[in-house]
Amino acid sequence: MPSLLTHASYDEVPYDAGLSPRTHPQLAAVIAQLFGLNPARVDSARVLEIGCGTGANLLPMAYSLPDASFVGIDVSGAHISAAKQSAAALGLTNAAFVQCDVRDFHGNGPFDYIICHGVYSWVPDDVRAAILAACREALAPDGVAYISYNVLPGWHQRGAFREMLRFHARYFSDPQERIQQARAFGSFLSDATAQLAGASTLSAAFSVMVKDELELIQSHPDFYVQHEHLADDNHPMYFLDFVEQLAPHALAYLGDAVFSTMLTENLPEELRADLDAIAPTRELLEQYRDFITDTISELRKVKIP
């Protein structure tokens, strides 16, 4: 039987992601100030991005903050080459890009802000540990690291669709063919489940889920399908499990990138009262809020205690 492994490297299928505004150090600085830290001035900060890709996220920051300095690392030579070319074309001297596995990274810190977006859930256990170790080693005393990851329980739904695509894609060896087959099989699943949707409320709900997930991959380019839905590693987790992973590295949860997700005031009054009763700590509130909102991905900020 063919293997379920459907890996394609980032050199084979580059991940040409765009700007992620919520990773901007200014947002991290605001959250840090709200929780009593004294973060570095953003306009002169030192910023590290782990998994910088082609530099599409870091380069606009470097362009708009000429007195700050930026370092991006990525395991893909194709990504780093593209980032360096873009930096040269923009005439930027405050952004450096290095091909490096985070497990081998010992950067010239400290850094005031560290960004790791779209990486943590997509790498093996030892790489996730290396990301946290790098944050602990490289963060300045009042530094803040931004780490995004895929969240349970919300990712159960997307994960089910993903595993069906991976099961079908295992029969094809070429990365581009796997992507095309995944798209086609997703369309088949949507059509098939729609025909059976009238059998029960569960069948109807399943059909809606498949349709929503198909629309998602149809609206994104091929590199998204390969690395989000066909990649070998995907490790969604519960918030409290993420918090537990921080502790061995002497890191602590600071807050979410989106401040409103840390509040109960924007929830219905009765629900707010119930949450306040069953979740007496901020960490428990975050976990239970993930349960009721079916959160799929989360943007957390961590710090040195």
Side-chain angles (χ1 to χ4, degrees), residues 19 37 55 64 82 95-96 110 112 118 167 196-198 208 217 251 294:
L19 180 66
L37 297 186
S64 64
D112 302 303
F167 188 94
L196 301 174
V208 170
I217 66 169
L251 296 169
D294 201 31

Side-chain angles (χ1 to χ4, degrees), residues 245-263:
Q245 291 176 17
L246 301 177
H249 300 277
L251 296 169
Y253 167 67
L254 174 64
D256 285 6
V258 181
F259 184 70
S260 62
T261 63
M262 294 182 280
L263 305 174

Side-chain angles (χ1 to χ4, degrees), residues 239 253 255-256 259 261-263 279 281-291 298 300:
F239 167 66
Y253 167 67
D256 285 6
F259 184 70
T261 63
M262 294 182 280
L263 305 174
T281 68
R282 194 155 61 89
E283 288 78 10
L284 279 174
L285 176 62
E286 289 291 332
Q287 181 61 83
Y288 281 96
R289 185 171 181 128
D290 284 351
F291 287 155
E298 197 53 270
R300 312 287 189 186

Side-chain angles (χ1 to χ4, degrees), residues 159-214:
F161 185 73
R162 174 184 186 274
E163 289 307 318
M164 287 186 282
L165 298 190
R166 277 173 49 80
F167 188 94
H168 179 71
R170 67 181 179 165
Y171 292 100
F172 306 93
S173 58
D174 178 71
Q176 195 59 46
E177 187 176 13
R178 289 200 297 268
I179 294 167
Q180 294 170 355
Q181 286 290 331
R183 291 187 184 278
F185 188 62
S187 295
F188 165 76
L189 287 172
S190 183
D191 292 342
T193 56
Q195 294 179 49
L196 301 174
S200 67
T201 55
L202 288 177
S203 296
F206 184 58
S207 177
V208 170
M209 180 275 282
V210 170
K211 180 176 180 293
D212 287 347
E213 294 301 319
L214 174 64

